[in-house]
């Protein structure tokens, strides 16, 4: 019944990219990430959502060192990706 916000805009990823495991039940989680990162959604949702609100961002999908994989589960809540 709450939420959390993570600001990763000044983070440096490992050469293999990164994986974040996230569970959100009756709440929400937000991630602020740099606009040049690619995001891969591996989240299962029940009455919730995974949204990427970065707009018209075209990350370099060939550069795996800038890929963030978001894994997890959300029920009656959501996970949101943004860059502002």
């Amino acid at each position: 019944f709450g939420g959390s916000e993570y600001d990763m805009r000044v983070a440096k990823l490992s050469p293999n990219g990164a994986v974040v495991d996230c569970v959100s039940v009756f709440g929400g989680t937000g991630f602020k990430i740099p606009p040049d990162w690619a995001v891969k959604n591996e989240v299962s949702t029940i009455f919730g959502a995974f949204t990427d609100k970065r707009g018209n961002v075209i990350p370099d999908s060939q550069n795996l060192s800038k890929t963030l994989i978001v894994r997890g589960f959300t029920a009656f809540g959501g996970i949101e990706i943004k860059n502002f």
Side-chain angles (χ1 to χ4, degrees):
F1 293 101
S4 58
E5 184 83 24
Y6 299 96
D7 191 346
M8 305 170 93
R9 291 176 291 182
V10 295
K12 303 286 186 220
L13 293 176
S14 77
N16 298 326
V19 177
V20 173
D21 289 314
C22 185
V23 175
S24 183
V25 179
F26 290 103
T29 303
F31 293 97
K32 294 178 184 175
I33 66 168
D36 62 336
W37 286 12
V39 176
K40 183 175 179 190
N41 175 11
E42 295 183 359
V43 176
S44 300
T45 62
I46 297 175
F47 297 109
F50 178 92
T51 56
D52 190 343
K53 294 190 172 182
R54 292 181 293 160
N56 294 329
V57 175
I58 303 173
D60 182 7
S61 60
Q62 302 300 319
N63 188 354
L64 296 178
S65 67
K66 292 191 177 185
T67 299
L68 177 68
I69 300 171
V70 182
R71 292 182 182 151
F73 172 77
T74 180
F76 301 97
I79 298 173
E80 179 178 84
I81 305 295
K82 54 190 172 183
N83 61 0
F84 53 88

